[in-house]
Amino acid sequence: MKLFGTDGIRGKANEFPITPEVALRAGKAVAQVLRSSGHNRNRVVIGKDTRISGYMLETALTAGLVSMGMDVLLPGPLPTPAIAHLTKSMGAAAGIMLTASHNPYEDNGLKIFGPDGYKLSDALEEIIERHILGDEPEPRPMSPEKIGKAYRIDDARGRYIEFAKHTADNISLHGLKIVVDCGHGAAYFIAPLIFKELGAEVIKHGCEPDGININDKCGALYPETAGELVRQHGADLGISFDGDADRVIFTDATGTPVSGDRILALSALSLHEQGKLRGNRMACTVMSNLGLHEAMRRAGIEVLTTPVGDRNVIEALREKGGSFGGENSGHLIFADHATTGDGILSALQVLRVMKEKKATLAELAACMREFPQELVNLKVAAKPPLATLPGLQKLMNEADAAFGDAGRHLIRYSGTENKIRILVEHRDADSVDEWIGKFTEAVKEDIGVPA
């Protein structure tokens, strides 16, 4: 597809495809494809994070939708998972989130959810894309009396806050001191409030958005920021969200970031102990550490491995009837509660395990050992198919033969940026360094890296 990538449409604001003109056409396209004859179904929830370009896109998107007879519900800045939840709970035909997640403020994008709260299938995204690009006939204009309306939804925050607390059975967090870094993003208001209402002492950071400071040296990409505050305040842990709060990264009481795989492992093991891990299985992506697989084998838990992307994890869980999975980047899917990755909900689940087991995060995270691993992101001049790069392919075959069962490599292009991601994992740390160097040189020779 030309517009949709691994997680919706994304790009630089005010440049194609993130322009008011495309947003207008996207609104019309969503109306055409997801319109329903059901009672009250011709409504769309539009959420956004705190980027300044959100105002521009929200207005254009709303215009396109109402011009096609759809009513628009506008709750203002809220996390992506809150929009997914509200779409389903309010009986809307679709939900649209304006965000570029962890990207800097210059970028923005659209994530679209269906009436069930799940991200759209590739087939539906392709149909919507064809309408946006003009590959399908233009819709007939609505007569004036059929034009839709736009409404501000004042109780949206409260709806989601109560839902999130309920997923953790409103457990008391009394006695916990937590650093909450919202990255000046979509969770800036509701996340600290939720933890405070449940009894925790909260030290806030990244909760003063100004339209351009989202993800700026704070939030999930910079867990060391929360880590430093944890040390300063003697907190029990740090919780860092990305721009749209569908991801969460933790730091322990020493201020040390805890890997996403360790969070996946402790969560899966806790659910397993409670008999809540449906099918005795969990799902993760190909990016997860071999140590996670080892820990799950010891516990008798089946691991479903998927391509990168939380949508792929969700699809695997839905297909196999699983209840938990996620990505080591901080996406956690508690499928009994949510239809997408939810940073706040995930943090509450981890906090509940800490309280119930009377254990520190570091103690819980010691449930697995990690193989030494390194991930390098290189900017590239182009993205030719990897299979057409002879030097890189030869080196990958050599690595496969050398590694055996002791390690692995994974090389892929980013779905949202002009980058190639090189992952090497091995029982021996020196082998990791050696092969990262070899793969980096091969990429430079075969593709070229911009100065």
Side-chain angles (χ1 to χ4, degrees):
M1 288 185 278
K2 299 174 184 176
L3 299 180
F4 284 90
T6 54
D7 200 8
I9 302 172
R10 192 174 295 183
K12 190 171 184 180
N14 242 5
E15 294 182 8
F16 183 86
I18 309 301
T19 64
E21 292 81 7
V22 172
L24 179 76
R25 294 188 64 87
K28 290 185 174 183
V30 168
Q32 286 176 275
V33 176
L34 297 178
R35 173 186 300 281
S36 168
S37 58
H39 182 61
N40 281 342
R41 278 294 186 178
N42 291 326
R43 300 186 296 181
V44 176
V45 180
I46 301 179
K48 60 182 179 180
D49 62 23
T50 56
R51 294 161 211 272
I52 193 169
S53 56
Y55 296 100
M56 171 185 76
L57 298 172
E58 180 185 59
T59 303
L61 193 58
T62 299
L65 287 160
V66 299
S67 74
M68 293 294 293
M70 305 292 278
D71 287 340
V72 174
L73 310 177
L74 300 167
L78 277 178
T80 289
I83 299 307
H85 170 71
L86 290 169
T87 299
K88 183 177 180 181
S89 72
M90 299 183 76
I96 304 174
M97 180 67 183
L98 298 170
T99 183
S101 192
H102 60 275
N103 287 21
Y105 86 93
E106 296 94 340
D107 294 343
N108 215 327
L110 289 81
K111 296 182 181 180
I112 306 176
F113 298 92
D116 56 2
Y118 287 98
K119 292 177 181 177
L120 300 185
S121 65
D122 288 342
L124 277 175
E125 285 185 345
E126 186 172 0
I127 295 170
I128 289 173
E129 180 173 295
R130 289 180 58 81
H131 282 282
I132 295 173
L133 296 175
D135 295 332
E136 296 290 338
E138 286 290 322
R140 295 182 61 183
M142 284 281 178
S143 57
E145 74 276 6
K146 293 182 179 179
I147 292 173
K149 299 177 181 178
Y151 303 88
R152 290 285 168 188
I153 306 300
D154 296 328
D155 68 340
R157 282 176 173 173
R159 282 172 175 253
Y160 177 74
I161 288 170
E162 291 307 311
F163 158 74
K165 291 191 298 184
H166 179 71
T167 65
D169 297 323
N170 289 281
I171 189 168
S172 171
L173 301 181
H174 182 73
L176 285 177
K177 184 187 288 188
I178 306 170
V179 171
V180 179
D181 182 356
C182 296
H184 299 301
Y188 77 96
F189 179 83
I190 65 171
L193 183 61
I194 288 172
F195 300 123
K196 186 176 180 180
E197 286 186 356
L198 290 173
E201 181 182 347
V202 176
I203 295 100
K204 296 192 297 183
H205 185 75
C207 296
E208 299 176 354
D210 62 9
I212 62 174
N213 60 0
I214 188 171
N215 300 317
D216 187 9
K217 297 180 176 59
C218 56
L221 289 185
Y222 300 90
E224 61 272 14
T225 300
E228 179 59 31
L229 290 170
V230 167
R231 289 189 290 270
Q232 287 178 18
H233 292 272
D236 295 291
L237 75 160
I239 298 171
S240 302
F241 300 108
D242 66 339
D244 66 333
D246 65 348
R247 291 200 294 139
V248 60
I249 299 295
F250 296 86
T251 49
D252 65 21
T254 69
T256 304
V258 178
S259 76
D261 281 324
R262 290 187 181 274
I263 299 298
L264 285 170
L266 72 87
S267 298
L269 291 172
S270 174
L271 290 169
H272 180 59
E273 290 171 9
Q274 299 172 52
K276 295 180 180 178
L277 193 66
R278 281 206 313 271
N280 224 20
R281 63 174 63 93
M282 62 89 67
C284 65
T285 74
V286 292
M287 298 298 287
S288 276
N289 194 279
L290 291 174
L292 172 65
H293 293 259
E294 186 177 70
M296 294 301 100
R297 277 196 302 272
R298 285 201 308 268
I301 297 171
E302 177 190 2
V303 178
L304 307 174
T305 303
T306 77
V308 173
D310 66 317
R311 186 173 69 175
N312 294 316
V313 174
I314 293 165
E315 287 176 355
L317 293 175
R318 295 179 76 184
E319 181 182 342
K320 298 291 186 178
S323 57
F324 176 72
E327 297 187 279
N328 62 356
S329 59
H331 281 122
L332 279 77
I333 294 97
F334 290 86
D336 285 341
H337 302 297
T339 57
T340 189
D342 189 325
I344 294 174
L345 187 155
S346 299
L348 290 174
Q349 299 301 321
V350 171
L351 289 168
R352 176 161 68 172
V353 177
M354 290 175 61
K355 291 288 286 186
E356 290 177 345
K357 290 183 174 289
K358 296 181 174 60
T360 67
L361 183 59
E363 289 169 344
L364 293 172
C367 62
M368 64 167 274
R369 66 165 182 162
E370 290 179 272
F371 285 30
Q373 180 189 87
E374 186 172 352
L375 174 64
V376 173
N377 295 299
L378 294 178
K379 289 186 177 180
V380 290
K383 290 183 178 180
L386 296 181
T388 66
L389 305 176
L392 186 59
Q393 287 296 318
K394 181 173 182 290
L395 193 61
M396 290 166 70
N397 291 333
E398 290 176 7
D400 288 336
F403 286 4
D405 295 331
R408 67 183 182 119
H409 61 82
L410 179 66
I411 301 176
R412 67 180 186 90
Y413 291 117
S414 165
T416 58
E417 302 171 273
N418 285 329
K419 291 181 179 180
I420 191 168
R421 308 199 194 282
I422 303 170
L423 172 74
V424 176
E425 186 175 299
H426 201 282
R427 292 183 184 273
D428 174 51
D430 290 338
S431 295
V432 173
D433 293 337
E434 175 189 352
W435 284 95
I436 280 286
K438 288 182 178 181
F439 283 128
T440 298
E441 288 304 313
V443 166
K444 289 178 179 178
E445 291 177 11
D446 282 357
I447 306 177
V449 176

